[in-house]
Amino acid sequence: MRQFGGTSNVWTGKWKYLQPLDFDGRPWVANSGWPIRFADLLEHYRSAAKDYGFGDLEAEAIRPEITALRAKLAAGGLKMSSFYWEETPTRTAIRFGEEMRRSKNLHVVLGATATKLRLDDSCQRVTAVICRSLEGRELIVEGEVIIIATGAFETARLLLASNRQLPSGIGNAHDLVGRFYTDHPKHHTGTLQPGSLTRQYAQELQYAPKPRFCICFALDDATQREQELLEHVLYLKPIYEKPSDRLRRTLRFRPACRDGNGSVAAYRVKFVTEQVPHEGSRIKLGTECDALGQRKLEVDWCFTDQDQRSMAKTLQLLTQRFAEVGLGTFDFGDDPPCLETMTDAAHQMGTTRMASRPQEGVVDTNCRVFGIDNLYVASSAVFPTGPSYSPTFTILALARRLGQHLLQTLKISQI
């Protein structure tokens, strides 16, 4: 979405850390692993949670009810993790608009799309950002440091479109800008008939009232390693009983499943998948132009055989283990999860991936574009891999880490 705040204007407000193991390279997943560690982001996760007023995810993880449920799941080869769901999803312009208006060192310009980056004669520094409006006006922005804080599509587009001085685009010496594009294919039409463990912990599966902590499920790390699987995640949303459901349950002598909001007839199942980072999955400049005269993007979103195998095997094992531990039984009817029919999650990632060297990515461990002294990216575009949950919290943590890096390395007069 080409607007202030981007896709944060339509998201549902779920905040979740990446987990420590999410940063590790997995031998069975090509191009996996981050060149930074979870510890490099933890203080920035914490500061964002404090400033935004989130609940404490670390305290939630050791709450007695959660640790007890985690142990029972672990005995059955499953794991769970928590996320925080806001009462009202944060909309940047609404929540921080007044603060931004009062700020003496911030100038927000709306309706101005960045269309090109201009380099100096050495092609090693950005000297200006060229912006245009739909009304035909042009704005030239200059600065000692330039940060591209847009989504994975717009970040790659801007680098590729800035090709007057570098024909292949900025940061693209190794033809990596736009590659390794991933999202989170999702399926959300199945149901779960609750079992005994779900009935016991129904309070932990509530979705309302918000704000609140919620949980999601996955196969444990040992199983993923042994079966060479990706990290696919399953969410459960209560569907509450109608009078007809209550009568049907009573006639079948089924025990009630009750949470703080009422009796649960079943749970809506949302199955969200991780993708293998694959260089052939990419976005590139097309031949058609948009209203600003800029070349539109062409998206070649590719899946691999491993994506297909991993999803099918994960679903098989989740079905088996959910039943064995007492979480319940799935019913996908005539529409089982299938990559060909799943939808995207608007979690675009990977198009300017982070790496330790330019032969493997577009930005370094400080999110600086390789080969350009003063150009940085604050976006999910830098994610080398993207486990199956919202990237927003990690985008914030990376942006705060970048801000800290700039404060430590720039001269005070430059800030």
Side-chain angles (χ1 to χ4, degrees):
M1 297 180 67
R2 193 178 286 176
Q3 61 178 264
F4 189 65
T7 52
S8 68
N9 289 303
V10 296
W11 81 310
T12 57
K14 297 176 183 175
W15 298 88
K16 190 177 188 306
Y17 290 2
L18 293 190
Q19 305 302 297
L21 289 176
D22 295 332
F23 292 84
D24 293 344
R26 290 163 284 176
W28 64 94
V29 181
N31 305 305
S32 64
W34 290 56
I36 61 174
R37 304 267 62 86
F38 175 77
D40 296 319
L41 290 185
L42 181 56
E43 67 174 291
H44 307 294
Y45 280 131
R46 288 171 173 168
S47 70
K50 180 179 179 181
D51 290 346
Y52 279 66
F54 303 156
D56 188 337
L57 280 163
E58 293 173 83
E60 172 66 8
I62 59 174
R63 186 163 55 86
E65 294 83 358
I66 292 296
T67 55
L69 175 56
R70 185 183 297 111
K72 293 181 179 184
L73 294 175
L78 298 169
K79 67 177 183 178
M80 53 161 278
S81 56
S82 299
F83 61 93
Y84 181 78
W85 205 339
E86 291 181 281
E87 180 178 9
T88 302
T90 292
R91 304 289 184 245
T92 303
I94 296 173
R95 181 165 182 176
F96 302 108
E98 188 55 39
E99 182 179 346
M100 288 187 285
R101 291 185 186 95
R102 293 196 307 266
S103 175
K104 295 180 180 180
N105 63 352
L106 179 66
H107 189 187
V108 177
V109 180
L110 301 178
T113 297
T115 57
K116 291 283 193 303
L117 300 176
R118 183 184 296 163
L119 300 174
D120 65 4
D121 292 340
S122 72
C123 292
Q124 294 179 337
R125 290 185 65 83
V126 174
T127 59
V129 182
I130 313 302
C131 304
R132 292 197 175 93
S133 72
L134 290 172
E135 295 77 23
R137 289 176 290 182
E138 183 176 276
L139 174 68
I140 299 177
V141 179
E142 298 177 347
E144 289 295 321
V145 172
I146 303 298
I147 302 171
I148 303 174
T150 58
F153 280 7
E154 286 292 286
T155 298
R157 179 195 63 78
L158 183 58
L159 293 178
L160 291 171
S162 301
N163 56 9
R164 187 177 67 83
Q165 294 156 284
L166 296 173
S168 62
I170 293 175
N172 202 29
H174 297 278
D175 190 28
L176 294 176
V177 175
R179 293 189 181 274
F180 298 99
Y181 166 57
T182 62
D183 202 312
H184 291 144
K186 61 182 182 179
H187 179 280
H188 41 73
T189 62
T191 58
L192 175 84
Q193 186 62 44
S196 58
L197 189 62
T198 299
R199 291 192 293 272
Q200 182 182 352
Y201 287 93
Q203 300 273 3
E204 307 300 336
L205 299 177
Q206 285 182 213
Y207 264 36
K210 302 184 188 75
R212 68 180 305 105
F213 292 103
C214 298
I215 58 178
C216 54
F217 303 87
L219 294 173
D220 66 11
D221 296 326
T223 300
Q224 291 182 38
R225 182 170 56 251
E226 292 163 4
Q227 299 290 332
E228 299 190 344
L229 303 174
L230 298 160
E231 172 102 339
H232 306 312
V233 174
L234 192 146
Y235 299 81
L236 300 176
K237 179 180 179 180
I239 303 171
Y240 292 99
E241 282 187 343
K242 301 175 183 177
S244 58
D245 298 321
R246 190 173 300 110
L247 176 61
R248 190 179 301 111
R249 173 177 56 79
T250 302
L251 292 175
R252 294 178 180 178
F253 300 101
R254 287 180 178 170
C257 177
R258 293 188 177 90
D259 66 17
N261 295 319
S263 294
V264 179
Y267 289 85
R268 179 69 62 201
V269 175
K270 183 167 74 170
F271 186 58
V272 184
T273 65
E274 181 189 11
Q275 280 189 260
V276 174
H278 175 51
E279 67 177 354
S281 184
R282 67 183 301 192
I283 63 174
K284 56 186 178 181
L285 297 178
T287 55
E288 295 184 17
C289 292
D290 62 17
L292 292 168
Q294 301 301 297
R295 290 166 64 183
K296 293 182 178 180
L297 292 176
E298 293 180 355
V299 181
D300 188 5
W301 186 21
C302 295
F303 302 106
T304 67
D305 290 341
Q306 186 178 2
D307 290 320
Q308 302 278 1
R309 290 194 305 272
S310 178
M311 193 190 74
K313 185 64 175 179
T314 297
L315 190 60
Q316 174 194 338
L317 291 173
L318 285 174
T319 300
Q320 173 187 333
R321 294 181 184 184
F322 262 56
E324 289 173 349
V325 302
L327 283 172
T329 55
F330 295 130
D331 181 4
F332 292 106
D334 297 326
D335 183 26
C338 172
L339 283 174
E340 284 72 20
T341 59
M342 295 168 80
T343 61
D344 72 280
H347 293 168
Q348 296 91 5
M349 300 168 288
T351 57
T352 61
R353 70 196 323 252
M354 182 189 291
S356 298
R357 59 195 193 101
Q359 292 81 6
E360 297 174 350
V362 178
V363 305
D364 67 14
T365 55
N366 290 314
C367 296
R368 182 181 64 85
V369 175
F370 284 115
I372 308 296
D373 295 338
N374 66 334
L375 181 62
Y376 296 82
V377 177
S379 166
S380 55
V382 308
F383 286 24
T385 54
S388 303
Y389 23 85
S390 169
T392 307
F393 211 164
T394 302
I395 296 171
L396 264 184
L398 284 167
R400 286 171 174 246
R401 179 173 177 268
L402 171 56
Q404 183 183 72
H405 168 72
L406 293 175
L407 284 171
Q408 293 170 347
T409 56
L410 292 178
K411 297 177 181 179
I412 298 299
S413 61
Q414 292 177 296
I415 301 174

